[in-house]
Amino acid sequence: MDVTTMKAMTAAECQPLLSIKGLKTHFETRAGIVKAVDGVDIELGRGEILGLVGESGSGKSITGFSILGLIDPPGRIADGSITYDGRDLVSMGEEDRRQLRGNDIAMIFQDPSMTLNPVLRIDTQMIETVQAHANVSTAEARQRARDALVQVGIPSPDERLKTYPYELSGGMRQRVAIAIALINSPKLIIADEPTTALDVSIQGQIIHEVKKLCRKTGTALIWITHDLAVVAGLADRIAVMYAGRIVETGKTADLIERPLHPYTKGLIDSVPSHSTRGRRLHQIKGITPSLLNLPQGCAFRERCEKATKECLVAPKPTLLAGRLVRCWNPAL
Amino acid sequence: MPVFIINRLLQAIGVILVMSVLVFVGLYLIGDPTSMLVSPEATEIERQALRKALGLDQSIWIQYLTFLGNAAHGDFGRSFLTGQPALQLIVERMPATVELVVVAMTFALVVGVPLGILAGLRPKAPSSKAIMTGSILGFSLPNFWIGLMLIMLFAVYLGVLPASARGETVNIGGVALSIFTLDGWQHLALPALTLGMAKAALIIRVTRAATREVLPMDYIKFARAKGLRPSRILKVHLLKNILIPIVTVAGLEFGQAIAFAVVTESVFSWPGMGKLLIDSIITLDRPVVVAYLIMMVFFLVILNLVIDILYIAIDPSAGEKVRD
């Protein structure tokens, strides 16, 4: 091996798996342009787990769907780039993108009672996922489907393969959906609130297992959630989204211990914990602004306790204590 | 499941009993069939003799009970007009109607489902708007008028297709069928098109509505996220889900057309059951009308049963609900 190929290899290894720059996903509605995602930057390394946290309507799910190219009209990616493994996903043709979906980048949806097709058997829905990307026999695809079910801890997989979704519990359905996401060994999984619709006990099991599987297979994961507590024990890094923008990104421990952005701080203070027992939980005042009519400057300005005149101008993301923060008055 | 089928059949018997009373009383009130059967110059004695021969001198309830007793043995009486057994008359006409309706419904599905999906996939495209406008015309224009226009165009002006009657038939297993001869198809074309166009218009609308309902579902998005080819999503994930409303409507329309294709059959002098029914009503040929309606109720109940079983085949969770 000569020096140049070695250099090229290290370059490829160092290159992030996913790099989103200035992503803007807008929806043109009759009432005006809804800027659901308005300038998002995300970098994700190979095998890294990122928690994407935000309230509903903050644009976190739309960011996820934008990566997969699953934004339907009237929505469209208005600006920015999404680079996956050195390839630009935004300008890529639909057929190339289809080949990446479910093969390189997989997705798990929120509501397991809605994601599986009610009139198709589990085996059909799994085998087709294999055969959409690899020219293999149905028998081999079925074997892979069986292996994937075993991997996510589903007992008696052969019988489960022959069932219809309505015959399975919610937790079991979500395991099947996760098995479908894992079946082609993707390099990246985008999980859009996959445990929100489940019981708390099953929630914990699923989070634990997904983390274990991602670590074992070296799969990168973007876990989208509104619940900071869920990703605290799961993610390597956390990105906090507010009104279509990422307001703070950093290593999980740092960000939770010492939030810099007032919004992040507000979120953390509103999570119940042992130290807050018996006391009133903190509440962020006000409501999420309408995406049609965002306040000028920093979108959080009107709800922020530390807002100053400077906040009338939108802050740029700045590197601070190893973190990127979009705030004029970070809590240092 | 068997309990479900038996329940349905018991229901059918109830419906048949109620309906036979209604038809019996209704036709009794309309008038005296003997006035249609004898010449106006006939004497009262001759009329009385005929009434006695047909059993019409008895009270309506005796007549009804006699009918029920005979019907239980499979005897639905004889036509007042021809003296042939009513059932035989109907069965003889059946292949012509079934043939016409099957061809018309096949046409409606083959045309209606793809056009409906197309209109559902791109609701704002000009082509979709054209399809929907066409379908409004299809089911708002009266059937007989479409039939007459087709006759004008193809039989009168162009002279390429015959305007009436059934074509040459071939006997297959004791059933006379015209779909195996060219002449048969030439005769079938216009009535089947007339009947099929109205049905296609309806199928287009049902398919479009179902497509619009299924497309935003999460499982379609998930299918895309799995990287399935668009053709697979369309032919398997979408089609299997929209099949449920389509089967319902197509099934009901099929039954409706078999039982009451009266207008189309009259316009094209198609020797089917609808034509028989209308002729029998005009001549107050009570045994034929009653036998006909009873057969149709029975047929429609069986058809509904078949539709329900099809449901379960398409969507097994529907079977779960039935069992509950």
Side-chain angles (χ1 to χ4, degrees), chain A residues 6-300:
Chain A
M6 266 179 73
K7 259 188 189 164
M9 259 186 65
T10 29
E13 301 267 300
C14 294
Q15 184 190 40
L17 180 67
L18 181 77
S19 164
I20 301 177
K21 286 206 174 72
L23 177 69
K24 291 187 177 179
T25 306
H26 293 175
F27 290 77
E28 279 155 40
T29 66
R30 227 171 263 172
I33 296 177
V34 177
K35 296 174 178 172
V37 177
D38 200 26
V40 158
D41 305 295
I42 290 176
E43 284 224 337
L44 190 71
R46 281 155 214 281
E48 191 181 12
I49 299 182
L50 174 76
L52 189 56
V53 183
E55 292 169 69
S56 42
S58 61
K60 54 195 195 307
S61 296
I62 301 297
T63 304
F65 285 123
S66 299
I67 298 169
L68 278 172
L70 288 179
I71 299 293
D72 291 320
R76 64 186 188 92
I77 294 179
D79 197 16
S81 69
I82 304 173
T83 315
Y84 168 80
D85 222 358
R87 302 165 73 186
D88 182 27
L89 295 183
V90 178
S91 60
M92 188 182 268
E94 182 50 30
E95 173 57 20
D96 289 336
R97 220 177 308 174
R98 177 192 74 73
Q99 286 175 9
L100 281 181
R101 283 201 291 258
N103 198 28
D104 281 66
I105 310 174
M107 187 150 182
I108 308 167
F109 286 40
Q110 181 168 357
D111 187 352
S113 64
M114 303 298 289
T115 41
L116 298 175
N117 194 318
V119 301
L120 298 176
R121 264 177 21 179
I122 302 298
D123 54 358
T124 314
Q125 303 195 45
M126 297 190 80
I127 289 167
E128 67 181 4
T129 315
V130 177
Q131 290 184 330
H133 301 287
N135 197 2
V136 297
S137 70
T138 305
E140 196 185 330
R142 175 181 295 273
Q143 186 54 42
R144 281 197 212 170
R146 193 187 174 281
D147 294 344
L149 288 184
V150 172
Q151 208 178 9
V152 295
I154 289 183
S156 44
D158 290 310
E159 283 146 49
R160 290 291 101 77
L161 276 175
K162 288 185 199 126
T163 56
Y164 283 90
Y166 77 94
E167 295 171 277
L168 303 174
S169 67
M172 204 59 103
R173 280 182 219 174
Q174 195 60 298
R175 278 170 203 266
V176 171
I178 293 169
I180 290 175
L182 287 168
I183 200 165
N184 291 323
S185 317
K187 294 198 192 91
L188 169 62
I189 294 177
I190 299 165
D192 184 9
E193 306 221 29
T195 56
T196 310
L198 302 176
D199 291 346
V200 180
S201 59
I202 296 171
Q203 201 173 46
Q205 282 175 23
I206 293 220
I207 292 169
H208 174 73
E209 267 164 40
V210 169
K211 184 175 184 178
K212 203 175 71 186
L213 286 169
C214 282
R215 292 289 185 236
K216 204 174 92 186
T217 54
T219 310
L221 176 68
I222 297 179
W223 189 284
I224 298 169
T225 182
H226 65 273
D227 189 350
L228 202 58
V230 163
V231 283
L234 171 73
D236 301 316
R237 267 188 322 130
I238 288 177
V240 179
M241 252 187 117
Y242 186 79
R245 287 187 178 146
I246 289 179
V247 293
E248 183 168 3
T249 326
K251 289 212 170 70
T252 305
D254 296 352
L255 187 131
I256 287 185
E257 236 161 73
R258 207 157 61 94
L260 295 181
H261 196 283
Y263 178 64
T264 317
K265 188 172 185 320
L267 277 185
I268 291 167
D269 290 346
S270 56
V271 174
S273 72
H274 286 296
S275 58
T276 56
R277 181 173 246 173
R279 271 186 284 153
R280 249 185 105 84
L281 276 177
H282 176 79
Q283 193 181 336
I284 303 174
K285 67 175 184 184
I287 52 160
T288 328
S290 156
L291 289 174
L292 272 170
N293 190 19
L294 285 177
Q296 191 200 342
C298 171
F300 190 58

Side-chain angles (χ1 to χ4, degrees), chain B residues 21-69:
Chain B
V21 172
L22 289 178
V23 174
F24 227 84
V25 174
L27 286 181
Y28 180 81
L29 290 176
I30 287 175
D32 182 1
T34 53
S35 61
M36 296 283 200
L37 295 173
V38 295
S39 69
E41 291 91 40
T43 62
E44 188 55 32
I45 298 163
E46 281 172 319
R47 283 168 194 270
Q48 285 299 345
L50 185 62
R51 283 208 188 91
K52 202 171 169 72
L54 295 175
L56 293 171
D57 53 339
Q58 312 277 338
S59 81
I60 174 93
W61 297 114
I62 305 270
Q63 287 183 42
Y64 180 67
L65 290 176
T66 316
F67 161 78
L68 268 192

